[in-house]
Amino acid sequence: MEPILEIRNLGKNFGAVEILKDINVSAEPGGFLVLVGPSGCGKSTLLNCIAGLEPISGGTIHIGGRDVTHVSPKDRNIAMVFQSYALYPTMSVAGNITFGMKVRGVDKAVRARKLQEVARQLQIEQLLDRRPSQLSGGQRQRVAMGRALVRDPQLFLFDEPLSNLDAKLRVEMRLEIKKLHSDLGATMVYVTHDQIEAMTLATRIVVLKDGVVQQVGSPAEIYNRPTNLFVADFMGSPAMNLIPARASRHGNGTRIEIERAGGPPIVLIDGRIDGLPGDVVVGLRPEDIAEAGFRAGDGVQEAECLIDMVEPAGADTFVVSLIGGKQVTARLHAETEARPGSTLALAFDLGKVSYFAPDTGERLN
Amino acid sequence: MTDPARGLPAAPRAGQAALRWLLFAILGLFALFYLMPLFVMIATSLKSLEEIRAGSLVALPARVTFEAWGTAWSSACTGIQCEGLRPYFWNSVSLSVPAVAISTLLGAVNGYVIAQWRFRGANLIFSLMLFGCFIPFQVVLLPMARTLGFMGLTGSISGLVFVHVIYGIGFTTLFFRNYYVTIPVELVKAAKVDGAGFFRIFWSVFMPLSLPILMVTVIWQFTQIWNDFLFGVSFSQAGTQPVTVALNNIVNSTTGVKEYNVDMAAAIIAALPTLFVYAVAGKYFIRGLTAGSVKG
């Protein structure tokens, strides 16, 4: 199927500064594409470029198979939801939602019908006469979405729409956006710095750093097989443990040796990989380190570790141990007997381990 | 026994109340001091000449007469003509209204562009316009006279409108720019995506937001233009002079007996429109100067 959005070799400069470098991204019909990265990575600029609100310095943008590189925002068949909602303060909710149709000369009867449809869909029927200043944050968010929905565009753009909401409301609205996406079957591009939002919403994630695409893939791919140290560190909470280690040949596999202060090194044997360089960074998610006896399988190996810290988080308990000079976090079950200062046998599950080159940061397996 | 939860003891409260009253007393005194000249003007304008000569300056009129007001309005002499302030008053109206409207509108569009449609050199242009606010009137008199001559507007009301519009743009742009710069740029972006163009966004989104700053600008411009004397006296001729020039002529060109009551009445008449504008729109003036940010 032809992609709804296709960006080829897009570049963007502000004066001499390169904000975006050679971006190649596409979104399939009905896809939910999330642009994620730390602040200043260029994700919002990229979204503004897609919308046509920022001119681009090179490359092309196609929406629905049509080259819109030099087309103005109003003719791109898009709708956008902004971080600050950007509701027109002097217009009522109804006025806000229908303004776009009014500008485009849509018939009054059609406007009223579409307004009712969208208001019902978003459950804001009782708010239509209010001004934006009389609404709560969540209600404003809904109106901003209504303004986008009523246009029925080919492509929806969301610029960090949930970042101004409190934590509880954010989770609710996140679910609602996800439901909306599946109900409408619409194609959406969504910018966020919150990697949990990215994981939960996306069908496809684009991780950006310093204006360069680091990795494009499904949430599972990004989570399980991060392409470099940056992605490994950025995606996932708590973050992936990235432990410096020495690797050497061991039969058909590899012997991984992790130094630690005040004790013998931890030695792990990975039978499924060989040919690693001498210095590697071992990437293990906290959930891949469990209490010994609670995890079994091919790649599981145990070692006694000194526990520095214990953080009960309700469903799980996180313990931190200093390994390879790093604070390594393990995700244990809630009833663990682990106590700070005592030793505990931890099971390292190499089933989903990632190896990175310490100098380039690139993935090795 | 006093209940310890029941607030403060009595002494500091009494002290605070005393301070409060002292403050009111001082403020009241200042207010009286500032109102005194107005009182003298009004009282004098309502007296007959004989009473002025006989009585004290601050005394209330023994017999109230509006004769001086009538004279000032329609028959006082401004040099050789004796038609009172009336024709000049209407000159001022017909020059102030278009000058205020045009300069305010241009300032609004300028401020909108500079604050919301950033372009290369926008800051430089804004700085230059700001600089225009600080050029003294006297400096531009001669170049402006040449310009008006070149444009064929010498001595006409249109010429005065032109001068006031040019001179006012700096201020009106400053007001609107500072107001619009507090409005998030996302509003323009949203309207662009909604399909609105430059002027549509201006009229439908920004103008409805602008009432407070519009009032500030109108009051400011009206006061400046109505009260202007220098441009009025320099660029007008007989028949197009504004009320301020006529007032000067009434007060300064009388021969023989000085008609203080007529002078006072004329001065009040000349000042009434600005007082009126402030009374009508004054509440927005304070609001517009202090507010600005738009909580959407």
Side-chain angles (χ1 to χ4, degrees):
Chain A
M1 228 185 327
E2 197 179 12
I4 291 288
L5 171 70
E6 191 166 22
I7 298 171
R8 281 193 227 118
N9 311 110
L10 182 145
K12 166 80 187 162
N13 305 330
F14 279 132
V17 189
E18 250 188 314
I19 304 291
L20 295 170
K21 291 165 209 159
D22 196 28
I23 307 283
N24 287 284
V25 167
S26 63
E28 303 303 315
F32 200 117
L33 183 77
V34 172
L35 310 176
V36 67
S39 49
C41 72
K43 54 193 190 297
S44 284
T45 308
L46 180 55
L47 196 74
N48 278 324
C49 289
I50 297 172
L53 295 167
E54 294 271 4
I56 62 176
S57 316
T60 57
I61 300 172
H62 286 75
I63 294 176
R66 190 165 62 99
D67 185 348
V68 297
T69 312
H70 302 290
V71 171
S72 74
K74 67 183 164 72
D75 298 320
R76 291 194 180 201
N77 204 358
I78 53 162
M80 190 156 170
V81 177
F82 294 88
Q83 184 173 8
S84 67
Y85 318 130
L87 300 178
Y88 310 123
T90 55
M91 296 182 202
S92 65
V93 166
N96 265 280
I97 293 175
T98 54
F99 180 68
M101 290 191 287
K102 215 160 133 187
V103 170
R104 281 159 210 271
V106 173
D107 184 70
K108 203 170 178 182
V110 178
R111 289 202 313 246
R113 183 170 52 76
K114 285 198 149 184
L115 172 67
Q116 286 308 322
E117 273 173 30
V118 167
R120 203 176 315 120
Q121 194 168 13
L122 292 169
Q123 295 153 28
I124 50 173
E125 288 153 294
Q126 73 286 3
L127 304 176
L128 292 180
D129 296 326
R130 303 239 188 121
R131 290 287 169 87
S133 56
Q134 298 167 301
L135 303 178
S136 70
Q139 290 170 332
R140 288 178 201 183
Q141 176 65 61
R142 278 169 197 276
V143 176
M145 301 227 295
R147 197 166 59 178
L149 284 180
V150 81
R151 296 270 318 281
D152 197 15
Q154 260 185 315
L155 186 64
F156 285 94
L157 307 176
F158 292 87
D159 188 3
E160 306 215 26
L162 305 185
S163 60
N164 285 348
L165 300 177
D166 64 59
K168 188 164 173 287
L169 202 53
R170 199 177 315 164
V171 174
E172 277 177 39
M173 290 305 290
R174 196 170 76 202
L175 277 173
E176 221 161 300
I177 291 179
K178 198 172 170 85
K179 185 167 173 295
L180 207 62
H181 173 248
S182 65
D183 288 353
L184 295 172
T187 315
M188 297 181 174
V189 181
Y190 187 103
V191 164
T192 179
H193 63 266
D194 178 348
Q195 44 89 22
I196 295 177
E197 251 172 55
M199 295 292 293
T200 49
L201 288 171
T203 58
R204 206 169 158 79
I205 294 177
V206 177
V207 185
L208 280 160
K209 182 201 172 201
D210 298 336
V212 178
V213 173
Q214 305 291 310
Q215 188 172 6
V216 181
S218 69
E221 276 166 10
I222 300 265
Y223 190 75
N224 293 323
R225 296 184 56 81
T227 188
N228 58 30
L229 281 174
F230 171 78
V231 178
D233 189 41
F234 187 74
M235 301 298 288
S237 174
M240 183 184 259
N241 297 300
L242 298 165
I243 316 161
R246 298 275 309 156
S248 55
R249 272 193 90 77
H250 181 89
N252 284 337
T254 302
R255 179 177 189 273
I256 308 290
E257 195 177 308
I258 305 169
E259 294 290 336
R260 52 180 169 169
I266 295 177
V267 175
L268 305 168
I269 308 295
D270 191 340
R272 288 168 306 174
I273 185 165
D274 61 356
L276 289 181
D279 287 311
V280 295
V281 174
V282 178
L284 273 174
R285 295 274 174 205
E287 60 267 31
D288 293 328
I289 308 175
E291 199 166 340
F294 285 86
R295 187 73 68 92
D298 266 359
V300 178
Q301 289 157 57
E302 297 177 3
E304 290 283 327
C305 297
L306 180 67
I307 305 301
D308 288 330
M309 249 193 304
V310 178
E311 296 181 320
D316 307 296
T317 296
F318 294 98
V319 299
V320 177
S321 177
L322 196 67
I323 303 173
K326 295 272 179 176
Q327 305 255 336
V328 172
T329 304
R331 184 177 201 158
L332 309 186
H333 56 95
E335 291 79 25
T336 179
E337 298 284 313
R339 292 291 170 268
S342 65
T343 57
L344 185 72
L346 293 180
F348 295 81
D349 186 348
L350 297 185
K352 286 181 181 172
V353 69
S354 301
Y355 296 106
F356 302 98
D359 45 354
T360 62
E362 293 302 307
R363 186 184 182 84
L364 296 167
N365 61 325
Chain B
M1 275 289 285
T2 50
D3 183 355
R6 269 276 172 88
L8 298 157
R13 277 198 174 168
Q16 267 182 356
L19 271 177
R20 168 86 24 121
W21 282 111
L22 187 69
L23 185 70
F24 283 147
I26 293 173
L27 287 176
L29 219 60
F30 273 117
L32 272 180
F33 182 72
Y34 281 114
L35 283 172
M36 204 57 197
L38 182 66
F39 168 75
V40 171
M41 282 175 76
I42 294 174
T44 308
S45 74
L46 296 177
K47 292 175 187 170
S48 64
L49 262 182
E50 296 78 57
E51 198 185 334
I52 292 170
R53 273 196 292 271
S56 137
L57 191 65
V58 291
L60 283 168
R63 196 175 58 85
V64 172
T65 166
F66 287 93
E67 217 172 287
W69 285 73
T71 311
W73 180 244
S74 55
S75 65
C77 295
T78 57
I80 46 170
Q81 277 139 347
C82 292
E83 304 165 54
L85 280 182
R86 188 170 49 193
Y88 307 100
F89 187 91
W90 294 119
N91 281 348
S92 272
V93 170
S94 58
L95 95 86
S96 304
V97 170
V100 169
I102 296 170
S103 62
T104 302
L105 200 64
L106 284 177
V109 176
N110 283 343
Y112 167 63
V113 171
I114 288 171
Q116 295 281 337
W117 295 72
R118 311 289 306 171
F119 57 92
R120 196 178 288 267
N123 276 331
L124 179 72
I125 289 181
F126 180 58
S127 311
L128 289 175
M129 291 186 124
L130 212 56
F131 186 61
C133 300
F134 297 104
I135 296 178
F137 278 21
Q138 293 82 346
V139 173
V140 298
L141 282 184
L142 272 178
M144 189 53 85
R146 293 293 302 257
T147 309
L148 289 177
F150 179 74
M151 294 172 73
L153 294 175
T154 310
S156 68
I157 289 199
S158 319
L160 274 175
V161 169
F162 177 77
V163 173
H164 283 299
V165 167
I166 296 292
Y167 213 85
I169 280 179
F171 286 98
T172 56
T173 302
L174 170 71
F175 289 153
F176 278 97
R177 181 264 179 197
N178 285 358
Y179 187 75
Y180 288 151
V181 91
T182 62
I183 296 175
V185 285
E186 284 191 341
L187 217 52
V188 168
K189 288 186 178 180
K192 275 191 197 170
V193 172
D194 261 342
F198 180 89
F199 283 109
R200 181 68 191 240
I201 299 175
F202 180 64
W203 279 120
S204 300
V205 179
F206 280 81
M207 262 311 175
L209 275 174
S210 308
L211 188 66
I213 199 65
L214 202 69
M215 289 302 167
V216 169
T217 312
V218 165
I219 292 177
W220 173 271
Q221 280 299 89
F222 187 79
T223 310
Q224 293 294 312
I225 294 171
W226 184 274
N227 287 342
D228 163 70
F229 178 74
L230 189 62
F231 284 155
V233 81
S234 308
F235 301 132
S236 63
Q237 60 197 28
T240 62
Q241 285 154 335
V243 72
T244 46
V245 177
L247 173 65
N248 172 68
N249 293 347
I250 287 179
V251 174
N252 284 340
S253 64
T254 41
T255 49
V257 185
K258 204 113 180 90
E259 292 179 291
Y260 286 112
N261 50 357
V262 175
D263 293 353
M264 295 299 181
I268 295 171
I269 289 172
L272 272 181
T274 50
L275 282 176
F276 173 75
V277 167
Y278 188 79
V280 169
K283 64 173 179 172
Y284 294 100
F285 192 71
I286 309 293
R287 210 182 293 167
L289 283 181
T290 52
S293 77
V294 177
K295 298 269 158 60

